[in-house]
Structure formats: C-alpha cells, structure tokens
Amino acid sequence: MQNTRIILIGAGIGGLTAALALQRRGFKVAVYEQAPQLGEVGAGLTLSPNATHALEAVGLGGKLAQTASRPARQAVLHYRTGQVLVDQERGDLPKKQYGADYYQIHRADLHNMLADAVATNDPSAIHLDHAFVGFQQNGDTVEVTFKNGAKTVGDVVIGCDGIKSEVRAALWGRLPPRFTGNVAWRGLVPVKNLPPGFKIEPASAAAIGVKHSLARYLIRDGTMLNYVAFAEKSGWEVESWSVRSPVSELLEEFHDWHDSFKTFMAATPPDLLFKWALHDRDPLPQWTKGRVTLLGDAAHPMLPFLGMGAASGIEDSVVLARAFQAAQTVNEALQRYENARRERATFIQMQSRAAQERLQGGKVDNYDQKKHKNEEFLGLFGYNPATVAV
Ligand SMILES: Cc1cc2nc3c(=O)[nH]c(=O)nc-3n(C[C@H](O)[C@H](O)[C@H](O)COP(=O)(O)OP(=O)(O)OC[C@H]3O[C@@H](n4cnc5c(N)ncnc54)[C@H](O)[C@@H]3O)c2cc1C
C-alpha cells in the first residue's frame, strides 16, 4: 500500500489537509489544482475542537496555537437590541471538555500553513494550472485528463474539488447545486478603522434575527474583524466568492439591526466586502465508485449555519489517511473511509439546513436557551477523527 499512487483533485483546505495527512503516513501524493496560483479568499474560519484534533494530528498544532485566535467567550446576540441572549465560556474550556482548542483563523493563514507543510514534505506534490476534466478506470489504475491536455495515471483518485466538483459530476452525473434561498455578505474590517471606543465584546458572537443572521469574530491577534451576514432573499443566485457588494447595499438590507452591528458594517473598506448566494446539495447515498471517491465540499457541501463545512473536510482527510494505513488494498481503504465518514457528514449536512430556522426563524424575543441546539449541543465537538474507528 505504501507505493499506492494517490491523486488528489483540488488544493483547497480539504485537498491540502488530505495530502498532508497521507504524506505523514508515508504515502506519496500528487495534488492537481485548476488555479494558476494557490490562494484562499479573505475571510475567517472557525475551527471547532473536532477540526483542531485533525489539524494537530497532521502536525499543525504548534502553528495553529501561534496563529489562530482563541476566543475567551462566545455569545448569541439579539439583532435589534444587541442584547446578549446566551453567553458561553470558551478559552481553556473546550480543551478540558473535548481535548482540543476552539479557534478562529483567517482562511488564508490556514491554507498557507497546509500548502507549506505539503511542499516541505515533497516540493513536487502540488501541480497548478491542472483543471480536471475526466477519468477512465482501467482495472487497477485510473487515468486522469486535464484541460491543459496533460494526462496522469494513478491507483486512486480523491475528488476534493469543492461544491462544483467535476469529479462528482463524472462519478454521479451533473446536477447543479441547490440555491438555498440565502445570500451572504462577508466582510473584513481592520479594527483600527472602527470608531474610537467601539468595542467588539465578546470577541466571538452570532446574532439572530428575522430572516437575517450574522456571525462576527476577531482574527489575526484581534487586528481584523471578520463577519458574515446572511439574508433570506431570492432573485440573485451567483455562487462566486469574488462579487463585490457596496456597503450601502448591506446597510440597507440590515437597516433594522442594532447600531452595534451597523457600525462595523459601515467601517468595512469597499474592497473587503463580498456577497454570494448560498448553495448546497442533497446528501449522496454513496461517495465511492471503483477507485475514485470524494472528500470535503465535493462530497457533502453544506450551508454555513453550523460553521462545519471546512471542519468536515478536515475530518475526512485524517480518516482517509488512517483508512489507507489500515487497509491491504485500495478498495478496502476507500470502503473503510466511506463507512467511517458518510453517516456523520450527512448528519452535519442536514443539521446545517435545520440550523437556519434557529438563527433566522424570528424567535428572538422569547429565545429559549434550553433549545439552543448549536453545533456544540448537537454533539459535534466530541468527535476525534484521529481516534475514531476506521
Ligand atoms: C459563508 C461561509 C462561511 C463558512 N464558515 C465556515 C467555518 O467557520 N468553519 C468551517 O469549518 N467551514 C466554514 N465554511 C465552509 C467552508 O468554507 C467549505 O466547506 C470549505 O472551504 C470546503 O473546502 P474544500 O477544500 O472541500 O473545497 P474548496 O474550498 O471549494 O476547494 C476546492 C478546490 O478545488 C479546486 N478545483 C475546483 N474544480 C477543479 C477542477 N476541475 N480541477 C482541479 N481543481 C479544481 C478549486 O480551485 C479549489 O482550490 C463556510 C462557508 C461559507 C459559504
């Protein structure tokens, strides 16, 4: 098995974590990315303890501790009054409860960490400007073709190519992602741009409202405020991370929100506010066919209302590498991987849809803390991909 030629399509957070997890278990990987340069969008990412366990297992624990933010507390806020509805301790508590920290990080910082680690292990592992277009399974091998005319042959292919996955289309047919009826704005605000005396307290919070919600937290040593604001809205369905939105449009959409939110929205530099329409897909009944499988958003794209999309792909990655180490054949490895992962990923996908009602259903004035079933109360933090049975 150690000589298995493993091809990964896509160098996002999922593909790179998988590459690193496999390298650390002695496998040689080749990652093919369509973009001519590696990169991630300017936005934040929450890493709950289940994801932190996985990143520690691939050797990034020390770097995360240096680079990521660890909020002391996390709140749920009332959209119109700004009042705290729920106040949860974080800080040292997640490590005590779940064995790993709860972090928030700039996506590019995590992506760079992963890419550097993969390239340090093998400078020839990442191939840019290679857009996957198709594969052919020939007995014990798979031949992959790319848009640039190149071809390669491996023993197994893992599609890590995101929500619009071409590998998924080649395996299971081409269906467009489902527009979920939500539009999101993501903004990054340098904290020095905020009005004097304006405080971001606590450092991490979600705000719930009527057909609208928001998540905001500090990253990069408290120098940047990251936020994502969601609105249930039809008529605009562009699924792209690079469409700019004027700040005035966001302020109009959130006109009845408390000033504590509108103040930081108004301080967003025009080049750091983007909007995109949120899509997901229904769960697949099967991920693997022969020697080809899926990972991350390619397998289970989900709404961001539990903040678990990237975390799920990170979990997949460590389980995949452990399955390859435990198995005698490629088919056994892929079966072990899918058996260990599909049920949990599907559960998170479906719960991410259900969470929309909790955050945007408008039950804000008589909010019942006991019914506060967020990702932690759903039990998602208690999963450790480095030790779960494969
Ligand atoms: C508003 C919002 C907030 C979020 N917040 C969080 C959060 O706090 N925590 C969390 O865990 N998750 C969060 N997520 C989810 C997270 O962003 C995604 O789940 C995650 O980025 C998916 O990673 P991936 O590597 O599977 O796919 P992607 O990041 O989409 O990467 C896919 C890669 O494949 C490449 N590619 C695509 N097609 C091809 C091809 N044909 N050939 C070669 N390469 C190809 C792409 O260029 C890209 O590099 C959020 C999502 C949204 C929308």
Side-chain angles (χ1 to χ4, degrees), residues 155-291:
D155 301 304
V156 56
V157 173
I158 321 289
C160 316
D161 48 342
I163 188 168
K164 295 181 197 152
S165 173
E166 284 295 317
V167 180
R168 179 176 172 132
L171 279 174
W172 303 113
R174 190 176 298 280
L175 265 184
R178 183 187 76 106
F179 174 56
T180 62
N182 288 280
V183 173
W185 284 260
R186 72 182 153 82
L188 271 181
V189 189
V191 165
K192 63 177 170 43
N193 285 18
L194 295 170
F198 182 80
K199 288 255 177 317
I200 301 292
E201 261 304 314
S204 174
I208 61 171
V210 186
K211 296 187 188 297
H212 292 73
S213 66
L214 177 143
R216 59 124 187 89
Y217 47 85
L218 293 168
I219 52 174
R220 289 198 171 153
D221 274 335
T223 60
M224 296 292 277
L225 177 68
N226 169 75
Y227 68 85
V228 192
F230 303 102
E232 290 176 26
K233 229 174 147 50
S234 55
W236 188 78
E237 302 189 6
V238 181
E239 209 277 329
S240 159
W241 289 68
S242 53
V243 178
R244 293 250 179 96
S245 170
V247 173
S248 56
E249 184 187 23
L250 176 66
L251 287 172
E252 196 178 312
E253 185 65 45
F254 286 77
H255 66 95
D256 56 346
W257 279 52
H258 192 251
D259 279 348
S260 54
F261 307 109
K262 289 192 289 193
T263 302
F264 64 73
M265 288 176 181
T268 315
D271 58 336
L272 293 180
L273 183 63
F274 296 84
K275 73 168 178 176
W276 75 111
L278 295 182
H279 290 69
D280 71 358
R281 291 180 186 274
D282 287 330
L284 275 176
Q286 195 181 328
W287 295 351
T288 309
K289 200 187 271 182
R291 290 170 166 259

Side-chain angles (χ1 to χ4, degrees), residues 9-15 32-35 39-40 44-47 107 130-133 160-166 184 217 228 230 241 276 278 295-298 304 307-313:
I9 308 295
I13 286 170
Y32 293 91
E33 164 61 42
Q34 67 178 0
E40 253 295 349
L45 190 67
T46 291
L47 296 169
R107 298 175 71 100
H130 277 69
F132 166 97
V133 287
C160 316
D161 48 342
I163 188 168
K164 295 181 197 152
S165 173
E166 284 295 317
Y217 47 85
V228 192
F230 303 102
W241 289 68
W276 75 111
L278 295 182
L295 181 147
D297 274 15
M308 280 286 159
S312 301

Side-chain angles (χ1 to χ4, degrees), residues 8 13-23 29 158 160 295 313 316-318 320-321:
L8 300 159
I13 286 170
L16 290 178
T17 311
L20 183 57
L22 287 158
Q23 285 177 331
V29 297
I158 321 289
C160 316
L295 181 147
D316 290 345
S317 301
V318 167
L320 178 81

